[in-house]
């Protein structure tokens, strides 16, 4: 069943009723190995690190949602990112957006540099600076957009042109936007990675990752690496992500509607100094975001008056917005990145303002969310 429509593909790609039983939902194939018909003759599966039918259903669905040819699922977003990095070797250089996910920064700086990979972190909203960072040995541009936690919007199509001149791979971590809001492969990217823990899973009940590409050669290598390195998800985790993906479009629409209301509310609040949301006209890349994204997503960052101490007070005072790390679930979360998700980058050039608060705006009723923020901002 093929459709041009995202919502239909999310529910139907590689999710036909089970041939043996008619089960409407792909079964959880909780098996490590498979009976062979004869020595070396299988029905396509021999061992579940290499392939598992529940995982195959998820991988094909995710590929379709990113308008890609191939998908690979992983045990976590970091498992996916680590596997992408096995494409490179000592002496290779990577240009990375300077506001990258903290765990990505940690992997690159504290692990991969000691294996001889070289990284340059640059503000990718500045195309000239990004071009200057490219060297003869640059093999990849690592893009996140919108970035975390400053929600900078990076021009994927423009960077794809820059990268191709250098034959560098363009990789986009599309976790914050999700494939419903942004389609990096169509904009010229070679590889998309996800933490499916976030919007794709959508219910804060599973940790997972994914890679999607339409480049056959890159896919063959990544498929080899997935099996060789082994950071694969279990069948139940695949099933949870596949279930989450079915409602992605509905959820992203509501996340985006709620987030713009929250952003406007905060922007007009006397106790807030700065609000960062790509959907606000005050956002420096608002026009680019309008072109590159279908809507602006569920993440809002802001700085309250009163500095770091007041930020902590607010984060402790919300009742519906739960104080916690992660994002992308149906429930709203609040956090202080400098002391939580971004602790590992404090003291580095990527350091985050300690007064910054990050919200993952959920899909609760917007009146309840605004009332909760109103009472928290009133804290003395
Ligand atoms: C969470 C996250 C990751 C890491 O994913 P895990 O599933 O936690 O391993 C990578 N990139 C971004 C943008 C994320 O938000």
């Amino acid at each position: 069943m093929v459709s041009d429509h995202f919502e239909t593909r999310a529910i139907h790609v590689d999710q036909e009723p089970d041939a043996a039983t008619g089960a409407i939902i792909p079964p959880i194939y909780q098996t490590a190995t498979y009976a062979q018909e004869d020595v070396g003759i299988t029905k396509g599966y021999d061992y579940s690190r290499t392939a598992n039918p529940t995982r195959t259903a998820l991988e094909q669905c995710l590929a379709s949602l990113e308008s890609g040819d191939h998908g690979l699922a992983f045990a976590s977003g970091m498992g996916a990112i680590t596997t992408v990095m096995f494409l490179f070797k000592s002496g290779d250089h990577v240009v990375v957006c300077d506001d990258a996910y903290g765990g990505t920064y940690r992997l690159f700086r504290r692990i991969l540099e000691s294996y001889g990979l070289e990284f340059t972190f640059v503000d990718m909203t500045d195309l000239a600076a990004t071009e200057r960072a490219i060297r003869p040995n640059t093999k990849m541009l690592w893009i996140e957009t919108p970035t975390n936690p400053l929600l900078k919007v990076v021009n994927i199509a423009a960077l794809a042109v820059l990268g191709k001149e250098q034959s560098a791979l363009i990789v986009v971590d599309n976790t914050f936007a999700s494939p419903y809001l942004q389609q990096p492969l169509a904009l010229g990217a070679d590889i998309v990675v996800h933490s499916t823990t976030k919007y794709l899973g959508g219910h804060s009940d599973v940790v997972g990752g994914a890679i999607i590409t339409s480049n056959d050669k890159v896919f063959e290598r990544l498929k080899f690496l997935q099996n060789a390195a082994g950071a694969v998800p279990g069948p139940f985790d695949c099933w949870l992500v596949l279930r989450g993906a079915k409602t992605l479009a509905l959820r992203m629409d509501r996340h985006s509607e709620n987030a713009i209301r929250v952003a406007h509310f905060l922007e007009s609040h006397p106790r807030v100094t700065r609000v960062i949301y790509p959907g606000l006209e005050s956002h420096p890349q608002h026009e680019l975001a309008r072109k590159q994204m279908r809507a602006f997503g569920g993440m809002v960052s802001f700085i309250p008056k009163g500095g770091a101490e007041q930020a902590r007070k607010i984060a402790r005072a919300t009742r519906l917005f739960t104080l916690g790390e992660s994002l992308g679930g149906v429930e709203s979360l609040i956090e202080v990145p400098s002391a939580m998700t971004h602790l590992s980058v404090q003291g580095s050039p990527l350091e985050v303002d300690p007064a910054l608060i990050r919200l993952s705006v959920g899909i609760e009723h917007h009146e309840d969310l605004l009332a909760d923020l109103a009472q928290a901002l009133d804290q003395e």
Side-chain angles (χ1 to χ4, degrees):
M1 153 92 216
V2 185
S3 164
D4 290 342
H5 296 115
F6 186 97
E7 294 85 342
T8 307
R9 284 184 276 134
I11 293 168
H12 291 289
V13 167
D14 214 39
Q15 299 172 76
E16 290 84 32
D18 181 49
T21 64
I24 201 101
I25 292 298
I28 302 167
Y29 286 91
Q30 193 71 44
T31 186
T33 188
Y34 304 80
Q36 303 205 355
E37 288 168 358
D38 199 345
V39 179
I41 305 297
T42 70
K43 294 186 161 133
Y45 294 94
D46 53 23
Y47 186 60
S48 278
R49 170 157 40 70
T50 315
N52 171 283
T54 315
R55 195 172 98 210
T56 304
L58 172 63
E59 291 176 335
Q60 303 211 351
C61 183
L62 292 180
S64 169
L65 295 186
E66 282 288 0
S67 309
D69 291 342
H70 312 288
L72 293 165
F74 291 86
S76 68
M78 290 317 302
I81 292 169
T82 301
T83 304
V84 168
M85 297 315 291
F86 282 136
L87 291 171
F88 305 102
K89 58 181 191 323
S90 175
D92 288 347
H93 175 246
V94 176
V95 179
V96 189
C97 72
D98 67 353
D99 194 23
Y101 177 67
T104 302
Y105 179 80
R106 181 173 56 196
L107 173 72
F108 290 0
R109 267 277 137 93
R110 295 186 41 196
I111 301 176
L112 297 178
E113 267 184 359
S114 65
Y115 287 84
L117 268 71
E118 296 165 18
F119 298 94
T120 302
F121 292 82
V122 60
D123 178 355
M124 286 189 167
T125 63
D126 183 342
L127 285 179
T130 308
E131 189 164 15
R132 281 196 302 275
I134 293 175
R135 303 183 200 155
N137 61 337
T138 300
K139 293 289 157 52
M140 175 172 76
L141 304 188
W142 185 276
I143 302 171
E144 268 183 54
T145 180
T147 65
N148 175 23
L150 296 179
L151 305 173
K152 292 196 259 187
V153 177
V154 172
N155 190 331
I156 298 171
L159 287 177
V161 172
L162 260 190
K164 299 244 149 95
E165 285 167 13
Q166 176 63 34
S167 310
L169 286 175
I170 310 299
V171 182
V172 177
D173 181 334
N174 202 25
T175 299
F176 266 44
S178 90
Y180 180 64
L181 298 186
Q182 179 169 278
Q183 298 261 290
L185 297 179
L187 295 167
D190 301 291
I191 296 174
V192 169
V193 302
H194 276 285
S195 168
T196 56
T197 314
K198 315 295 170 51
Y199 288 107
L200 274 161
H203 296 75
S204 304
D205 54 9
V206 62
V207 170
I211 304 175
I212 298 97
T213 182
S214 292
N215 180 321
D216 296 341
K217 246 179 91 186
V218 166
F219 169 70
E220 283 313 319
R221 182 69 186 159
L222 287 169
K223 170 97 192 118
F224 167 81
L225 291 168
Q226 180 196 41
N227 182 51
V232 293
F236 183 49
D237 285 357
C238 292
W239 186 90
L240 284 170
V241 176
L242 194 54
R243 184 178 66 162
K246 288 175 196 286
T247 54
L248 181 67
L250 281 175
R251 286 185 285 106
M252 291 318 291
D253 281 337
R254 180 61 68 85
H255 282 297
S256 302
E257 282 164 27
N258 281 354
I260 189 77
R261 287 181 198 264
V262 164
H264 281 141
F265 167 80
L266 292 172
E267 205 173 38
S268 63
H269 198 285
R271 302 183 92 172
V272 172
T273 23
R274 182 167 173 224
V275 185
I276 310 171
Y277 183 64
L280 291 175
E281 278 171 25
S282 60
H283 189 284
Q285 294 95 35
H286 176 64
E287 279 313 311
L288 171 61
R290 289 185 81 91
K291 268 193 252 157
Q292 189 166 274
M293 303 173 73
R294 189 200 292 252
F296 305 103
M299 302 304 293
V300 179
S301 293
F302 72 101
I303 297 177
K305 278 192 183 139
E309 205 180 314
Q310 190 62 18
R312 285 175 184 236
K313 271 192 199 155
I314 292 166
R316 277 194 291 264
T318 52
R319 296 181 198 127
L320 265 182
F321 281 85
T322 303
L323 180 60
E325 301 201 353
S326 196
L327 60 116
V330 291
E331 66 290 311
S332 292
L333 297 174
I334 186 167
E335 68 130 353
V336 180
S338 62
M340 296 170 64
T341 48
H342 287 63
L343 197 56
S344 67
V345 301
Q346 293 312 95
S348 83
L350 303 198
E351 187 162 292
V352 177
D353 184 335
L356 187 82
I357 293 176
R358 188 188 80 179
L359 302 175
S360 173
V361 180
I363 63 171
E364 299 95 336
H365 198 285
H366 61 88
E367 285 171 8
D368 297 327
L369 297 179
L370 297 189
D372 190 31
L373 291 172
Q375 67 79 24
L377 282 162
D378 279 343
Q379 295 297 308
E380 288 307 332

